[in-house]
Amino acid sequence: MLTITQALYDQIVAHARKDHPDEACGVVAGPAGSDRPERFIPMLNAAMSPTFYEFDSGDLLKLYRELDDRDEEPVVIYHSHTATEAHPSRTDISYANEPGAHYVLVSTADTDGLGEFQFRSFRIVDGEVAEEEVRVVAAY
């Protein structure tokens, strides 16, 4: 299960809406080994595409150095889908290389009649996808 604060949830959704119609992407870092997302880090989608996201390689290198210096890890890796449901694509699955991370997808398309976005979380390990419950809390 992903437990995330309302503030972080709202920041991820706001980023997805802001970058629409392109996919938004980013990371929420937390203390190494804690499984607690704390620090919101929006990233630039270097692909600038409505159907694909790619972290800028320079930004990603800088991010991992910063995480290392702060004894943090990527607890949540998020991106948006602009025209499809919030479920990992084959490409998303093939690029998932953080087995301990929660992969959050936000859909900015109203694909299910439930409103303009979906917020879902998945674990992706060795190509296997498992959806998990998301619990939004006021604070930890």
Side-chain angles (χ1 to χ4, degrees), residues 104-116:
V104 166
L105 279 105
V106 175
S107 175
T108 54
D110 183 4
T111 58
D112 61 4
L114 296 177
E116 61 187 60

Side-chain angles (χ1 to χ4, degrees), residues 78-99:
Y78 74 88
H79 76 282
S80 61
H81 282 180
T82 60
T84 59
E85 70 172 320
H87 193 277
S89 68
R90 282 191 301 260
T91 303
D92 296 338
I93 295 165
S94 69
Y95 283 119
N97 62 359
E98 289 285 349

Side-chain angles (χ1 to χ4, degrees), residues 12-74:
I12 292 170
V13 170
H15 185 202
R17 287 178 170 157
K18 181 178 77 65
D19 283 11
H20 186 87
D22 289 338
E23 289 191 5
C25 57
V27 170
V28 183
S34 73
D35 196 38
R36 190 175 66 219
E38 292 183 349
R39 190 166 62 94
F40 177 69
I41 308 165
M43 302 284 284
L44 172 69
N45 178 356
M48 300 179 100
S49 166
T51 59
F52 181 74
Y53 83 97
E54 180 178 26
F55 292 122
D56 177 83
S57 58
D59 289 348
L60 197 56
L61 179 61
K62 180 181 166 198
L63 170 68
Y64 273 91
R65 284 182 175 153
E66 183 179 294
L67 293 176
D68 210 34
D69 290 346
R70 296 171 63 118
D71 197 26
E72 291 177 327
E73 63 188 6

